Each structure stands twice: as structure tokens, then as C-alpha cells.
């Protein structure tokens, strides 16, 4: 399954929400869709889910155009909005059963599919509760369950982790990994960038409707690293280590933290590796040595202007 977004543009009057963006993702990939508020993420996702029409451009899901054949494209996409609509008088099971019928499932097949999806998303114990009485995390699970009923090869998820407690976020992350392993192509937006760093293969960073950078996390981080920050935690001899680091030519700054030393070093990964090798050779007992500041959150702060 291959999703191709081609020169997508969306105007709301004089405001251009999405400005000629193009990117691709495929089966088994989890793509982070990142940007400030108002960058155009939700609009792009709604277009991909065939809920909005683009002003120009297209998106093709295995060659099926969302513009020319929206009914066909709709069967290939499961959309998880940022919030579940409020329904006071319908239970979780009734809600999922309704959408299963809407997707054309009937009889024994429909009942089995709903039962399986309830079990997969851990909703079996609350299937008789009304949607209105559910917590944010439970509602997000119901929303994901509804999106999975027709077994779509593509999942589009708009801020699914917003407002979730730590346990619910871990559970969501585990579900996404399982779905990715099953071969689903997943596009997910979130403001919790540390979470995305842990689960995404690649990321697309968007600002003011335009793509700023895109690629694997390693690819988009590397061009931004003019100097690297390394955190070193020695077992002992911290004062000696601090003084020694000040004498290394490509070290531009050394800061003492509570039980670590922060080192800013110009150069590549090989230079960082060489620094660690030299420390060990000189007899320093290093407990922890890690690069800091090349994750998705740091890249986002570097490439966006807010």
C-alpha cells in the first residue's frame, strides 16, 4: 500500500491553509506529521480522509484518487479525529455496531468483527457504557476501534494522544506498533514530540501550510547539527574529567550539571565516538555517554519559526 500526496493545496477564502505540499508513505510505516497550531495538519488529514476537498492537487492511495474516486479512497482509510463527538444515549457497542453496518458488514461477520475490534482495543469491559460517560482515553480507543472496523490499510490519526494519561499513551503506542507490524500505513500528528520520536520511522514538519523538512528522523536531524551536545556521566573523577575536556580542541563548551558534564563538540558522530574512546583509554570510568538535542522535538524547534 502506497500513499502519494501530490501538490495539495487548500484555500479558505483568502487564507491558504495548505500550500502545495507533497510527500509519500507506505505500508508498515508510521509517519509523524508535525507543525505548530494552524500549520495545516488537520486540513491535510481531513482531505486525505475525503472529508474536505482540496482546492487543487490530489492524493492517491494505491492509485485511487481521493478527488476522482472519493468513495473508493474512503474504503482504504481509517480516520481518527482529534476528539470523539458527544453521544449521550448510545453505548460503545451500539456505536461500533452502527458503523459496522454503515461499512456494509452484515450478520455473523459484523458481530464477529465488532467483537474482535472491541477485544483488540480493550473495550470489551466497557462495551455497554455510554460514550458520554467515558474518559478521554476511553473515547480515543473507541475512535480508533471505529476507524479499524473496515480493516483499512491506511490510518490517519489527528492528535490521538492529546489529553491522555501516561498509561493510555503507552497503550496507544503499543497498539500503533502492532498495527504497523500488520502492514498498515499510519500518518499521525501530535504535539507530544517525544512520543512521536519513539514510534515514528519518519516525519514531515509543516509550517504555514508548507513542508519545511521531511525524511527519516536521522535524515532531518543531521543537517541541523552544526555542533553536537553530549552528556557524560562519570563514575568518579568528575573534576579531573571537567578540566581535561576543556583542553580538547573541538570542544567549544563544557558545563557542569548535577551529576553529569554537558559537552558541546563540533564534528560528526565519529568525533563523538573518538571522544568516548579517548576517555576510556585515559582511564575514566564512564557510566553514561549520550548525544542530546537531536530528537524530533529539538529539530522541530530549530526548523520552525513559530
Amino acid at each position: 500500500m502506497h500513499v502519494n500526496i501530490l501538490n495539495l493545496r487548500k484555500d479558505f477564502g483568502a487564507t491558504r491553509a495548505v500550500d502545495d505540499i507533497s510527500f509519500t508513505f507506505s505500508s508498515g510505516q508510521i509517519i509523524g506529521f508535525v507543525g505548530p497550531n494552524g500549520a495545516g495538519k488537520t486540513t491535510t488529514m481531513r482531505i486525505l480522509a475525503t472529508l474536505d476537498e482540496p482546492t487543487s492537487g490530489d492524493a492517491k492511495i494505491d492509485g485511487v484518487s481521493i478527488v476522482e474516486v472519493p468513495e473508493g479512497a474512503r474504503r482504504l482509510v481509517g480516520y481518527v479525529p482529534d476528539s470523539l463527538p458527544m453521544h449521550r444515549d448510545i453505548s460503545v457497542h451500539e456505536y461500533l455496531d452502527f458503523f459496522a453496518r454503515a461499512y456494509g458488514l452484515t450478520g455473523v461477520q459484523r458481530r464477529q468483527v465488532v467483537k474482535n475490534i472491541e477485544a483488540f482495543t480493550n473495550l470489551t469491559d466497557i462495551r455497554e457504557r455510554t460514550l458520554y460517560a467515558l474518559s478521554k482515553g476511553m473515547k480515543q480507543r473507541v475512535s480508533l476501534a471505529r476507524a479499524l472496523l473496515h480493516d483499512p490499510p491506511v490510518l490517519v490519526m489527528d492528535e490521538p494522544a492529546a489529553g491522555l494519561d501516561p498509561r493510555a499513551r503507552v497503550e496507544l503506542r503499543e497498539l500503533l506498533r502492532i498495527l504497523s507490524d500488520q502492514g498498515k500505513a499510519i500518518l499521525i500528528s501530535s504535539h507530544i514530540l517525544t512520543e512521536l520520536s519513539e514510534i515514528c520511522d519518519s516525519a514531515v514538519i509543516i509550517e504555514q501550510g508548507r513542508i519545511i523538512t521531511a525524511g527519516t528522523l536521522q535524515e532531518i536531524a543531521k543537517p541541523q547539527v552544526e555542533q553536537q551536545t553530549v552528556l557524560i556521566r562519570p563514575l568518579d573523577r568528575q573534576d579531573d574529567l571537567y578540566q581535561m575536556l576543556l583542553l580538547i580542541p573541538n570542544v567549544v563548551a563544557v558545563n557542569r550539571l548535577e551529576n553529569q558534564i554537558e559537552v558541546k563538540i563540533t564534528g560528526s558522530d565519529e568525533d563523538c565516538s573518538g571522544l568516548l574512546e579517548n576517555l576510556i583509554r585515559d582511564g575514566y570510568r564512564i557510566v553514561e555517554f549520550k548525544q542530546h538535542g537531536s530528537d524530533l522535538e529539538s529539530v522541530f524547534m530549530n526548523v520552525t519559526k513559530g
Side-chain angles (χ1 to χ4, degrees):
M1 179 59 61
H2 194 70
V3 181
N4 222 347
I5 296 173
L6 305 164
N7 305 110
L8 212 59
R9 180 165 66 86
K10 179 64 175 178
D11 296 334
F12 294 99
T15 302
R16 181 158 295 177
V18 179
D19 191 1
D20 193 35
I21 68 171
S22 302
F23 64 94
T24 64
F25 60 103
S26 305
S27 296
Q29 284 188 302
I30 303 178
I31 306 297
F33 198 35
V34 183
N37 290 331
K41 303 187 300 299
T42 295
T43 301
T44 302
M45 290 181 145
R46 285 180 58 84
I47 291 172
L48 190 56
T50 72
L51 296 175
D52 283 336
E53 292 185 2
T55 303
S56 65
D58 200 353
K60 294 187 177 181
I61 304 168
D62 252 13
V64 179
S65 167
I66 63 165
V67 175
E68 297 175 0
V69 196
E71 297 85 0
R74 198 170 295 135
R75 294 181 179 275
L76 303 174
V77 178
Y79 178 59
V80 180
D82 56 355
S83 62
L84 188 70
M86 292 294 183
H87 300 279
R88 289 180 176 271
D89 56 351
I90 188 171
S91 71
V92 170
H93 179 72
E94 289 169 338
Y95 179 79
L96 295 178
D97 185 71
F98 170 82
F99 276 97
R101 292 171 188 267
Y103 286 128
L105 301 174
T106 59
V108 175
Q109 182 194 19
R110 185 189 74 249
R111 290 191 290 273
Q112 190 61 51
V113 166
V114 172
K115 181 179 179 181
N116 291 345
I117 292 296
E118 287 174 344
F120 177 72
T121 52
N122 200 21
L123 294 171
T124 304
D125 292 341
I126 62 169
R127 66 199 301 264
E128 301 304 329
R129 292 176 62 178
T130 61
L131 294 183
Y132 190 77
L134 299 182
S135 67
K136 173 72 172 178
M138 291 177 181
K139 287 177 181 175
Q140 288 297 77
R141 276 190 275 150
V142 173
S143 189
L144 176 59
R146 192 257 315 139
L148 293 173
L149 283 169
H150 59 305
D151 194 23
V154 178
L155 274 179
V156 177
M157 309 180 73
D158 191 5
E159 299 284 347
L164 300 189
D165 62 48
R167 175 176 291 278
R169 289 206 303 271
V170 170
E171 291 173 350
L172 175 65
R173 193 164 66 232
E174 290 173 351
L175 284 176
L176 290 179
R177 286 200 183 104
I178 293 171
L179 292 168
S180 174
D181 291 341
Q182 291 176 352
K184 295 195 184 298
I186 303 174
L187 179 67
I188 177 172
S189 71
S190 179
H191 286 138
I192 308 173
L193 302 186
T194 51
E195 291 280 319
L196 286 186
S197 295
E198 294 179 11
I199 62 173
C200 289
D201 309 299
S202 305
V204 175
I205 299 181
I206 184 174
E207 186 176 33
Q208 294 181 347
R210 290 179 172 269
I211 291 178
I212 304 300
T213 185
T216 67
L217 300 188
Q218 293 78 14
E219 287 171 348
I220 64 177
K222 196 167 186 179
Q224 307 304 321
V225 181
E226 297 176 356
Q227 66 179 28
Q228 305 204 42
T229 301
V230 179
L231 296 177
I232 304 173
R233 181 160 64 93
L235 186 63
D236 50 24
R237 298 175 60 195
Q238 184 166 336
D239 290 341
D240 290 347
L241 177 59
Y242 176 79
Q243 295 297 330
M244 188 274 287
L245 290 168
L246 291 172
L247 302 176
I248 297 177
N250 61 337
V251 169
V252 295
V254 183
N255 299 310
R256 292 189 185 191
L257 306 178
E258 184 176 353
N259 62 347
Q260 295 176 316
I261 298 177
E262 180 187 71
V263 182
K264 295 186 185 298
I265 178 173
T266 56
S268 63
D269 289 347
E270 286 190 7
D271 294 298
C272 289
S273 176
L275 174 61
L276 177 58
E277 184 180 355
N278 291 337
L279 294 180
I280 294 173
R281 185 193 60 206
D282 292 342
Y284 291 100
R285 298 190 291 174
I286 306 301
V287 177
E288 187 175 22
F289 185 100
K290 66 178 181 180
Q291 289 175 301
H292 178 69
S294 59
D295 59 8
L296 184 57
E297 190 171 64
S298 301
V299 174
F300 175 77
M301 292 304 294
N302 283 335
V303 301
T304 61
K305 302 173 183 177

